[in-house]
Amino acid sequence: MPAADRFDFWADFAVRAAPASIWADRSVPFDAFAQLIDLDGVHLSSFRYPTLRTRRTARQIRQADAEMFQLALPIAGFSAISQARNESTIDQTGFTFFDTSRPYEAEHRMDVETYPSTICVHIPHALLPLSPDRVNRLLAAAMPAEGGTGGLLAQFLRQVTAHPEQYAPTEAPRLGGVALDLVCATLARHADAEESLSPETRQQVTRLQVVEFIERHLARPDLDPGAVARAHHVSLRTLHRLFAGEAETVAGLIRRRRLEHIRHDLRNPLLGHQPIQVIAARWGFPDPAHFSRAFRTAYGVAARDYRAGTPTVDGPP
């Protein structure tokens, strides 16, 4: 955009659904970025901008009220928000939550020379299963975005907004469902309202926690369904029930992710000096014979031939 038109264009995009007043230092070039991702009823937005302030008044709410909640995660810089007599300041380690149907003020500041950047989840009021009194506790509150359900949500938001092109349009409903379940679980935990979550949401969140745990512990040779169940304080039967509707079992997921990491490392020229079995053991395959069978079954070629560049039965590696 021409420099003279950037601020007005960006501001119109940023507050189109919820009119608000925005102030920025107009004496410096306004270099900004805005992205909106529609996930079938749930929306993600990603913004990068210079230091600015935003205010939404009761009059502006009467002009247009989309009845949306927003959960915001700073990716760079600092954000401060006040609403309903609550106020918080957050950085990359925390979320804040607000209601666009109520007046609020927010400020986003640069961190040294880094422009503020924020990811927001936009959720219709009707989709959040929390009572009004529980919602009031959360307005303009700071909530951790590291560890637990909040950490899973932050990881999910960063991944989707960084590479939305890797998802097909048909995946939007599934991704929207994941986002909504993680948001609801994160908010319910901080509002002491976990009993309000549906059984389906609880199962989805537990399943996502299991997948994240598996990804972090693939190198453990003893990582199997039993170890996963013990880590999450559930029975093996309950664990298998969580994945009953999925495309693969827990054991299959562990095996596939290990083999994918090994396959990637075998084609990494920086690891060309490492014996294949060293790489396999690093990803949880200490038994050479077991690894060889698993790799050939998965990719239709021996690991040494794959490393040498021999095509697999499924096509070029």
Side-chain angles (χ1 to χ4, degrees), residues 39 82 119 141 147:
L39 298 181
S82 61
I119 299 172

Side-chain angles (χ1 to χ4, degrees), residues 8 28 60 86 94 96-97 109 117 127 136 153 161 165 177-178 182-183 188 198 212 219 235 260 270 284:
D8 291 338
V28 298
Q60 289 168 327
N86 299 324
T96 193
F97 176 74
R109 302 191 305 274
S117 181
L127 295 184
N136 289 341
L153 175 58
T161 55
E165 74 285 348
V178 171
L182 287 173
V183 168
S198 69
E212 193 270 341
S235 68
E260 287 174 350
L270 298 179

Side-chain angles (χ1 to χ4, degrees), residues 4-148:
D5 300 334
R6 292 175 188 171
F7 177 81
D8 291 338
F9 182 88
W10 184 90
D12 177 67
F13 179 91
V15 300
R16 188 171 300 166
S21 302
I22 299 180
W23 295 269
D25 184 355
R26 303 299 292 272
S27 66
V28 298
F30 190 83
D31 298 324
F33 167 84
Q35 173 182 242
L36 181 66
I37 303 171
D38 183 359
L39 298 181
D40 196 39
V42 175
H43 295 84
L44 305 184
S45 61
S46 176
F47 297 110
R48 185 178 65 248
Y49 36 69
T51 294
L52 54 79
R53 292 184 298 117
T54 305
R55 176 187 298 155
R56 180 159 159 82
T57 66
R59 180 179 179 181
Q60 289 168 327
I61 292 169
R62 289 192 295 271
Q63 291 174 354
D65 184 5
E67 298 188 345
M68 286 277 183
F69 294 117
Q70 288 191 30
L71 189 72
L73 173 67
I75 301 301
F78 300 89
S79 293
I81 186 167
S82 61
Q83 185 173 61
R85 299 182 181 179
N86 299 324
E87 187 173 336
S88 65
T89 301
I90 55 172
D91 58 14
Q92 298 79 19
T93 64
F95 292 101
T96 193
F97 176 74
F98 61 102
D99 184 354
T100 62
S101 294
R102 300 191 186 192
Y104 68 84
E105 292 190 24
E107 183 176 8
H108 310 281
R109 302 191 305 274
M110 295 177 62
D111 177 9
V112 191
E113 296 182 355
T114 303
Y115 274 17
S117 181
T118 305
I119 299 172
C120 286
V121 192
H122 308 255
I123 309 156
H125 284 182
L127 295 184
L128 193 66
L130 297 179
S131 62
D133 63 311
R134 299 298 176 94
V135 168
N136 289 341
R137 298 184 194 179
L138 299 171
L139 295 176
M143 293 171 278
E146 295 182 336

Side-chain angles (χ1 to χ4, degrees), residues 262-273 279 306-307:
I262 293 169
R263 183 170 70 162
H264 178 269
D265 286 355
L266 289 177
R267 283 297 177 86
N268 185 345
L270 298 179
L271 301 177
H273 65 286
I279 294 175
Y306 180 86
R307 187 179 225 180

